[in-house]
Short mmCIF file of all heavy atoms in Angstrom, two decimals:
data_model
loop_
_atom_site.label_atom_id
_atom_site.label_comp_id
_atom_site.label_asym_id
_atom_site.label_seq_id
_atom_site.Cartn_x
_atom_site.Cartn_y
_atom_site.Cartn_z
N PHE A 41 -228.66 31.87 -35.96
CA PHE A 41 -229.12 31.13 -37.13
C PHE A 41 -229.99 29.93 -36.78
O PHE A 41 -230.60 29.32 -37.65
CB PHE A 41 -227.93 30.69 -37.99
CG PHE A 41 -227.06 29.61 -37.38
CD1 PHE A 41 -227.36 28.27 -37.57
CD2 PHE A 41 -225.94 29.94 -36.64
CE1 PHE A 41 -226.55 27.28 -37.03
CE2 PHE A 41 -225.14 28.96 -36.09
CZ PHE A 41 -225.44 27.61 -36.28
N SER A 42 -230.04 29.57 -35.50
CA SER A 42 -230.92 28.50 -35.06
C SER A 42 -231.29 28.78 -33.63
O SER A 42 -230.41 29.05 -32.80
CB SER A 42 -230.22 27.14 -35.17
OG SER A 42 -231.03 26.11 -34.66
N THR A 43 -232.58 28.76 -33.33
CA THR A 43 -232.98 29.19 -32.00
C THR A 43 -234.10 28.32 -31.45
O THR A 43 -234.77 27.58 -32.17
CB THR A 43 -233.43 30.67 -32.00
OG1 THR A 43 -233.62 31.10 -30.66
CG2 THR A 43 -234.74 30.84 -32.76
N GLY A 44 -234.29 28.43 -30.14
CA GLY A 44 -235.36 27.75 -29.43
C GLY A 44 -235.69 28.54 -28.20
O GLY A 44 -235.22 29.68 -28.02
N TYR A 45 -236.49 27.97 -27.32
CA TYR A 45 -236.88 28.70 -26.13
C TYR A 45 -235.78 28.76 -25.07
O TYR A 45 -235.74 29.67 -24.26
CB TYR A 45 -238.13 28.06 -25.52
CG TYR A 45 -239.36 28.22 -26.36
CD1 TYR A 45 -239.87 27.14 -27.08
CD2 TYR A 45 -240.03 29.44 -26.45
CE1 TYR A 45 -241.01 27.28 -27.86
CE2 TYR A 45 -241.16 29.60 -27.23
CZ TYR A 45 -241.65 28.51 -27.94
OH TYR A 45 -242.76 28.66 -28.71
N ASP A 46 -234.89 27.79 -25.08
CA ASP A 46 -233.87 27.71 -24.04
C ASP A 46 -232.45 27.92 -24.56
O ASP A 46 -231.58 28.34 -23.81
CB ASP A 46 -233.94 26.35 -23.33
CG ASP A 46 -235.29 26.11 -22.68
OD1 ASP A 46 -235.75 27.02 -21.97
OD2 ASP A 46 -235.86 25.03 -22.90
N GLU A 47 -232.21 27.59 -25.82
CA GLU A 47 -230.88 27.70 -26.40
C GLU A 47 -230.97 28.26 -27.81
O GLU A 47 -232.03 28.22 -28.45
CB GLU A 47 -230.19 26.32 -26.47
CG GLU A 47 -229.81 25.73 -25.14
CD GLU A 47 -229.07 24.41 -25.29
OE1 GLU A 47 -229.17 23.79 -26.39
OE2 GLU A 47 -228.40 24.01 -24.33
N CYS A 48 -229.85 28.79 -28.27
CA CYS A 48 -229.77 29.23 -29.66
C CYS A 48 -228.34 29.05 -30.15
O CYS A 48 -227.40 28.93 -29.35
CB CYS A 48 -230.21 30.68 -29.81
SG CYS A 48 -229.11 31.88 -29.02
N ASP A 49 -228.18 29.01 -31.47
CA ASP A 49 -226.87 28.91 -32.09
C ASP A 49 -226.56 30.21 -32.80
O ASP A 49 -227.41 30.76 -33.52
CB ASP A 49 -226.82 27.74 -33.08
CG ASP A 49 -226.92 26.39 -32.38
OD1 ASP A 49 -226.55 26.34 -31.19
OD2 ASP A 49 -227.35 25.42 -33.01
N VAL A 50 -225.34 30.70 -32.60
CA VAL A 50 -224.93 32.00 -33.12
C VAL A 50 -223.81 31.80 -34.14
O VAL A 50 -222.83 31.10 -33.86
CB VAL A 50 -224.45 32.92 -31.97
CG1 VAL A 50 -223.98 34.25 -32.52
CG2 VAL A 50 -225.55 33.11 -30.94
N LEU A 51 -223.99 32.41 -35.30
CA LEU A 51 -222.93 32.42 -36.31
C LEU A 51 -221.97 33.55 -35.98
O LEU A 51 -222.38 34.70 -35.83
CB LEU A 51 -223.52 32.63 -37.71
CG LEU A 51 -222.51 32.80 -38.85
CD1 LEU A 51 -221.78 31.49 -39.10
CD2 LEU A 51 -223.21 33.29 -40.11
N THR A 52 -220.68 33.25 -35.88
CA THR A 52 -219.68 34.28 -35.61
C THR A 52 -218.45 34.00 -36.46
O THR A 52 -218.44 33.03 -37.23
CB THR A 52 -219.31 34.30 -34.11
OG1 THR A 52 -218.43 35.40 -33.86
CG2 THR A 52 -218.63 33.01 -33.68
N ASN A 53 -217.46 34.84 -36.39
CA ASN A 53 -216.20 34.55 -37.08
C ASN A 53 -215.04 35.11 -36.27
O ASN A 53 -215.22 35.90 -35.33
CB ASN A 53 -216.20 35.09 -38.52
CG ASN A 53 -216.24 36.59 -38.61
OD1 ASN A 53 -215.50 37.29 -37.92
ND2 ASN A 53 -217.11 37.13 -39.46
N ASP A 54 -213.85 34.70 -36.62
CA ASP A 54 -212.66 35.03 -35.82
C ASP A 54 -212.42 36.53 -35.74
O ASP A 54 -211.95 37.04 -34.72
CB ASP A 54 -211.44 34.33 -36.41
CG ASP A 54 -211.54 32.82 -36.30
OD1 ASP A 54 -212.38 32.35 -35.52
OD2 ASP A 54 -210.79 32.12 -37.01
N TRP A 55 -212.73 37.25 -36.83
CA TRP A 55 -212.48 38.70 -36.85
C TRP A 55 -213.36 39.40 -35.82
O TRP A 55 -212.90 40.19 -35.01
CB TRP A 55 -212.71 39.26 -38.25
CG TRP A 55 -212.68 40.75 -38.30
CD1 TRP A 55 -213.73 41.60 -38.41
CD2 TRP A 55 -211.52 41.60 -38.20
NE1 TRP A 55 -213.34 42.90 -38.40
CE2 TRP A 55 -211.97 42.94 -38.27
CE3 TRP A 55 -210.16 41.35 -38.08
CZ2 TRP A 55 -211.10 44.02 -38.22
CZ3 TRP A 55 -209.30 42.44 -38.03
CH2 TRP A 55 -209.77 43.76 -38.10
N TRP A 56 -214.66 39.10 -35.86
CA TRP A 56 -215.58 39.73 -34.89
C TRP A 56 -215.18 39.37 -33.46
O TRP A 56 -215.21 40.21 -32.57
CB TRP A 56 -217.02 39.25 -35.14
CG TRP A 56 -217.60 39.70 -36.45
CD1 TRP A 56 -217.21 40.76 -37.21
CD2 TRP A 56 -218.67 39.07 -37.14
NE1 TRP A 56 -217.97 40.85 -38.34
CE2 TRP A 56 -218.89 39.83 -38.32
CE3 TRP A 56 -219.46 37.96 -36.91
CZ2 TRP A 56 -219.87 39.49 -39.24
CZ3 TRP A 56 -220.46 37.63 -37.81
CH2 TRP A 56 -220.65 38.38 -38.97
N THR A 57 -214.83 38.11 -33.26
CA THR A 57 -214.47 37.66 -31.91
C THR A 57 -213.25 38.39 -31.39
O THR A 57 -213.22 38.84 -30.23
CB THR A 57 -214.22 36.14 -31.93
OG1 THR A 57 -215.40 35.47 -32.33
CG2 THR A 57 -213.81 35.66 -30.55
N GLN A 58 -212.22 38.53 -32.24
CA GLN A 58 -211.00 39.19 -31.78
C GLN A 58 -211.24 40.67 -31.55
O GLN A 58 -210.75 41.24 -30.57
CB GLN A 58 -209.88 38.99 -32.80
CG GLN A 58 -208.53 39.50 -32.30
CD GLN A 58 -207.37 38.98 -33.13
OE1 GLN A 58 -207.51 38.04 -33.90
NE2 GLN A 58 -206.22 39.61 -32.96
N GLU A 59 -212.01 41.31 -32.41
CA GLU A 59 -212.33 42.73 -32.23
C GLU A 59 -213.11 42.97 -30.94
O GLU A 59 -212.97 44.02 -30.31
CB GLU A 59 -213.14 43.23 -33.43
CG GLU A 59 -212.32 43.46 -34.69
CD GLU A 59 -211.31 44.57 -34.50
OE1 GLU A 59 -211.72 45.74 -34.36
OE2 GLU A 59 -210.10 44.28 -34.47
N ALA A 60 -213.92 41.97 -30.55
CA ALA A 60 -214.73 42.12 -29.34
C ALA A 60 -213.98 41.74 -28.08
O ALA A 60 -214.54 41.77 -26.98
CB ALA A 60 -215.99 41.26 -29.46
N GLY A 61 -212.69 41.38 -28.24
CA GLY A 61 -211.92 41.00 -27.06
C GLY A 61 -212.18 39.58 -26.62
O GLY A 61 -211.97 39.24 -25.45
N GLY A 62 -212.62 38.74 -27.53
CA GLY A 62 -212.86 37.34 -27.22
C GLY A 62 -214.28 37.09 -26.75
O GLY A 62 -215.02 38.01 -26.39
N LEU A 63 -214.66 35.82 -26.81
CA LEU A 63 -215.96 35.38 -26.32
C LEU A 63 -215.76 34.26 -25.30
O LEU A 63 -215.91 33.08 -25.61
CB LEU A 63 -216.84 34.88 -27.48
CG LEU A 63 -217.45 35.93 -28.39
CD1 LEU A 63 -218.25 35.27 -29.50
CD2 LEU A 63 -218.35 36.87 -27.59
N PRO A 64 -215.41 34.61 -24.07
CA PRO A 64 -215.19 33.57 -23.06
C PRO A 64 -216.47 32.80 -22.77
O PRO A 64 -217.58 33.29 -23.00
CB PRO A 64 -214.75 34.38 -21.82
CG PRO A 64 -214.39 35.72 -22.33
CD PRO A 64 -215.20 35.96 -23.54
N LYS A 65 -216.30 31.59 -22.30
CA LYS A 65 -217.45 30.83 -21.85
C LYS A 65 -218.15 31.61 -20.73
O LYS A 65 -217.52 32.24 -19.90
CB LYS A 65 -217.00 29.46 -21.33
CG LYS A 65 -218.14 28.49 -21.06
CD LYS A 65 -217.60 27.13 -20.65
CE LYS A 65 -218.75 26.15 -20.44
NZ LYS A 65 -218.26 24.81 -20.04
N HIS A 66 -219.48 31.59 -20.77
CA HIS A 66 -220.35 32.28 -19.80
C HIS A 66 -220.49 33.77 -20.10
O HIS A 66 -221.11 34.50 -19.30
CB HIS A 66 -219.88 32.08 -18.36
CG HIS A 66 -219.73 30.65 -17.97
ND1 HIS A 66 -218.66 30.19 -17.22
CD2 HIS A 66 -220.50 29.56 -18.24
CE1 HIS A 66 -218.77 28.89 -17.05
NE2 HIS A 66 -219.88 28.48 -17.65
N SER A 67 -219.93 34.25 -21.23
CA SER A 67 -220.10 35.67 -21.57
C SER A 67 -221.57 36.00 -21.74
O SER A 67 -222.35 35.21 -22.28
CB SER A 67 -219.37 35.99 -22.89
OG SER A 67 -218.00 35.79 -22.79
N LEU A 68 -221.95 37.19 -21.28
CA LEU A 68 -223.30 37.68 -21.47
C LEU A 68 -223.37 38.47 -22.78
O LEU A 68 -222.57 39.39 -22.99
CB LEU A 68 -223.72 38.57 -20.30
CG LEU A 68 -223.86 37.86 -18.95
CD1 LEU A 68 -224.08 38.87 -17.83
CD2 LEU A 68 -225.01 36.85 -18.99
N LEU A 69 -224.29 38.11 -23.64
CA LEU A 69 -224.46 38.74 -24.94
C LEU A 69 -225.89 39.24 -25.07
O LEU A 69 -226.81 38.73 -24.41
CB LEU A 69 -224.16 37.75 -26.08
CG LEU A 69 -222.80 37.05 -26.03
CD1 LEU A 69 -222.70 36.03 -27.17
CD2 LEU A 69 -221.65 38.06 -26.11
N VAL A 70 -226.09 40.23 -25.95
CA VAL A 70 -227.42 40.80 -26.18
C VAL A 70 -227.77 40.59 -27.65
O VAL A 70 -227.00 40.94 -28.54
CB VAL A 70 -227.46 42.29 -25.83
CG1 VAL A 70 -228.85 42.86 -26.14
CG2 VAL A 70 -227.11 42.51 -24.37
N ALA A 71 -228.93 40.02 -27.89
CA ALA A 71 -229.40 39.76 -29.26
C ALA A 71 -230.57 40.68 -29.57
O ALA A 71 -231.60 40.64 -28.91
CB ALA A 71 -229.80 38.30 -29.41
N LYS A 72 -230.39 41.52 -30.62
CA LYS A 72 -231.42 42.49 -31.00
C LYS A 72 -232.14 42.01 -32.25
O LYS A 72 -231.51 41.49 -33.17
CB LYS A 72 -230.77 43.85 -31.27
CG LYS A 72 -231.74 44.90 -31.79
CD LYS A 72 -231.01 46.14 -32.25
CE LYS A 72 -231.99 47.14 -32.88
NZ LYS A 72 -231.30 48.34 -33.41
N PRO A 73 -233.48 42.20 -32.32
CA PRO A 73 -234.21 41.81 -33.52
C PRO A 73 -233.67 42.53 -34.76
O PRO A 73 -233.40 43.73 -34.73
CB PRO A 73 -235.64 42.25 -33.22
CG PRO A 73 -235.72 42.33 -31.74
CD PRO A 73 -234.36 42.74 -31.28
N LEU A 74 -233.53 41.79 -35.84
CA LEU A 74 -232.99 42.36 -37.08
C LEU A 74 -234.06 43.10 -37.87
O LEU A 74 -233.81 44.16 -38.43
CB LEU A 74 -232.41 41.23 -37.94
CG LEU A 74 -231.84 41.62 -39.31
CD1 LEU A 74 -230.66 42.56 -39.13
CD2 LEU A 74 -231.43 40.38 -40.08
N LEU A 75 -235.27 42.56 -37.93
CA LEU A 75 -236.36 43.16 -38.70
C LEU A 75 -237.53 43.46 -37.78
O LEU A 75 -238.62 42.92 -37.93
CB LEU A 75 -236.78 42.22 -39.83
CG LEU A 75 -235.71 41.95 -40.89
CD1 LEU A 75 -236.17 40.84 -41.81
CD2 LEU A 75 -235.42 43.21 -41.67
N GLU A 76 -237.30 44.31 -36.80
CA GLU A 76 -238.32 44.64 -35.82
C GLU A 76 -239.52 45.30 -36.49
O GLU A 76 -239.37 46.26 -37.26
CB GLU A 76 -237.75 45.59 -34.77
CG GLU A 76 -238.74 46.00 -33.69
CD GLU A 76 -239.01 44.88 -32.72
OE1 GLU A 76 -238.27 43.88 -32.72
OE2 GLU A 76 -239.99 44.99 -31.96
N GLY A 77 -240.72 44.79 -36.25
CA GLY A 77 -241.93 45.41 -36.74
C GLY A 77 -242.40 44.91 -38.09
O GLY A 77 -243.45 45.31 -38.56
N SER A 78 -241.65 44.05 -38.78
CA SER A 78 -242.07 43.54 -40.09
C SER A 78 -242.27 42.04 -40.00
O SER A 78 -241.59 41.34 -39.26
CB SER A 78 -241.01 43.85 -41.15
OG SER A 78 -240.85 45.24 -41.31
#
């Protein structure tokens, strides 16, 4: 929901986090474009 060249802020919630097995510090995540090509 807020991004820059070096850092970004990610909106998450407890349900997604628990389903994903937690989000430990230093976790590697992949961000895919939502509206690719438009």
